[in-house]
Amino acid sequence: MLNRRNFVGLTAAAVAAPSILTSRALAADWPVKPVRIVVPFTPGGSTDITARLVGNRLQEVWGQSVVIENKPGAGGNIAADMVAHSDADGYTIFIAGPGMATNQFLYPSLTYDSVADFAPVTMLITQPNLMCVPNSSPAKSVQEFIAYCNANRGKVTYASSGNGTTLHLSGELFKRLAKVEMTHIPYRGGAPAINDLIPGRVDVIFDNMPSILQHARGGQVRALAVTTKERVSVVPEIPTIAESGVPGFDVFSWFGFFVPIKTPPDVVAKINADTNAALVHPAVKTRFEELGANPKGSTRAELARFLKSEIDKWGPVIQEARIRVEN
């Protein structure tokens, strides 16, 4: 298992600098060539949607191409390893989520350290997940789905976009709190998972709202509940899992930008400032809100603190449930 670093190291990673004068000189002209945003999942999922929405705006601001590069596999570890060992010049940005906090507990060994190898840049969005079933499912509520699980013990499956994602952890938490049996089916992204949910090849998904909401609104799947403790303004008619008879259920997803640890701090600061401005741009902000996501933005230190809180939150849960994934 990867050793966790203390908070002092985490915060320092957000502001460490090889040379203030050198980094300022780099940031003054940066970027002078295309920038790539590495997405750890397949196209079409929530991570990919977020990267493209923000990337399109950054491309307009920077006057340079922002290329979205999808590198799915191993719950995001393939992409994370690639970015961690990329040139620390700001031209490779990693869009990451809960896996940055959870994978160190899920996998027996990793080739990167989410704290020691990455500099936090900024939080992007937070979002609820949406519990959905195929239209062919007999369940029209959370309680009916629980009854379906109890009547079909050992046969019910839930899909996720990969091991360690909030889709996966939502399913595990639901199993524990609702006291039901479900088998986890991990995919290499949210889009292929939804493609199998629609025809009923899997029984349920707890998917990120931006990627599943259009399918629920279009009548391709049936939405049963949101995963957060409070209802979501964009779909106020959909109840929470907690109010549907599973008290204590509260899960949300998040995405942030990270870069290799030795990236000059002034370049990191420029990416931070331009990304935060992009998140409040009317076209970007409105689109995220339509998808049920909350554009957040943050300082580098705030993202560092948040990552630490996620590590502290999910580590004991994963260890207590003895969830392990083989490399």
Side-chain angles (χ1 to χ4, degrees), residues 4-157:
R4 289 182 291 167
R5 310 303 171 98
N6 62 33
F7 178 48
V8 173
L10 183 67
T11 304
V15 296
S19 166
I20 293 177
L21 292 177
T22 300
S23 66
R24 283 179 179 171
L26 287 171
D29 297 326
W30 190 96
V32 297
K33 63 180 182 179
V35 178
R36 64 174 175 168
I37 299 176
V38 179
V39 178
F41 301 106
T42 55
S46 188
T47 319
D48 183 73
I49 291 170
T50 301
R52 292 178 192 277
L53 271 174
V54 177
N56 286 343
R57 177 57 188 163
L58 290 175
Q59 182 168 275
E60 296 174 357
V61 173
W62 290 338
Q64 294 286 344
S65 297
V66 174
V67 180
I68 306 302
E69 184 172 337
N70 298 87
K71 294 286 288 188
N77 291 331
I78 292 175
D81 174 75
M82 184 185 79
V83 176
H85 297 98
S86 295
D87 291 338
D89 53 13
Y91 289 98
T92 300
I93 300 172
F94 187 37
I95 179 171
M100 287 290 274
T102 60
N103 282 357
Q104 61 189 283
F105 302 103
L106 292 165
Y107 291 82
S109 63
L110 296 178
T111 55
Y112 68 92
D113 185 309
S114 61
V115 172
D117 293 332
F118 289 92
V121 179
T122 183
M123 177 73 82
L124 296 172
I125 66 168
T126 60
Q127 60 191 6
N129 289 2
L130 193 60
M131 179 182 181
C132 293
V133 296
N135 288 330
S136 59
S137 173
K140 293 181 172 59
S141 68
V142 171
Q143 284 302 313
E144 288 184 5
F145 183 78
I146 292 173
Y148 176 76
C149 289
N150 291 332
N152 294 273
R153 292 187 180 277
K155 299 179 181 179
V156 178
T157 58

Side-chain angles (χ1 to χ4, degrees), residues 114-321:
S114 61
V115 172
D117 293 332
F118 289 92
V121 179
T122 183
M123 177 73 82
L124 296 172
I125 66 168
T126 60
Q127 60 191 6
N129 289 2
L130 193 60
M131 179 182 181
C132 293
V133 296
N135 288 330
S136 59
S137 173
K140 293 181 172 59
S141 68
V142 171
Q143 284 302 313
E144 288 184 5
F145 183 78
I146 292 173
Y148 176 76
C149 289
N150 291 332
N152 294 273
R153 292 187 180 277
K155 299 179 181 179
V156 178
T157 58
Y158 76 95
S160 84
S161 55
N163 292 304
T165 61
T166 56
L167 284 69
H168 177 196
L169 297 176
S170 292
E172 289 300 314
L173 185 60
F174 187 84
K175 285 168 56 177
R176 295 178 67 198
L177 296 183
K179 297 180 174 57
V180 296
E181 294 179 13
M182 298 190 299
T183 300
H184 177 218
I185 309 295
Y187 290 79
R188 290 167 64 87
I194 293 171
N195 288 340
D196 270 5
L197 178 75
I198 291 172
R201 297 190 188 102
V202 288
D203 295 298
V204 68
I205 195 171
F206 301 82
D207 197 13
N208 303 147
M209 191 167 283
S211 56
I212 194 70
L213 184 57
Q214 59 182 327
H215 299 285
R217 284 174 166 167
Q220 295 172 292
V221 297
R222 182 184 304 133
L224 300 185
V226 296
T227 60
T228 45
K229 62 183 178 181
E230 296 178 349
R231 292 197 184 199
V232 179
S233 60
V234 72
V235 283
E237 73 281 5
I238 299 179
T240 68
I241 291 177
E243 72 180 88
S244 299
V246 188
F249 198 101
D250 181 23
V251 178
F252 64 91
S253 297
W254 60 273
F255 297 119
F257 273 167
F258 296 81
V259 291
I261 187 65
K262 293 184 179 180
T263 303
D266 275 33
V267 172
V268 179
K270 180 172 176 56
I271 301 171
N272 171 279
D274 291 344
T275 302
N276 280 319
L279 290 169
V280 297
H281 185 269
V284 176
K285 185 174 185 292
T286 299
R287 184 56 182 151
F288 273 130
E289 290 172 347
E290 289 172 349
L291 293 169
N294 303 307
K296 301 289 287 187
S298 73
T299 66
R300 291 169 284 167
E302 284 170 345
L303 178 55
R305 286 193 293 270
F306 177 79
L307 177 59
K308 180 183 183 298
S309 72
E310 286 288 281
I311 292 171
D312 292 342
K313 171 184 176 180
W314 287 112
V317 172
I318 293 168
Q319 291 170 327
E320 181 183 336

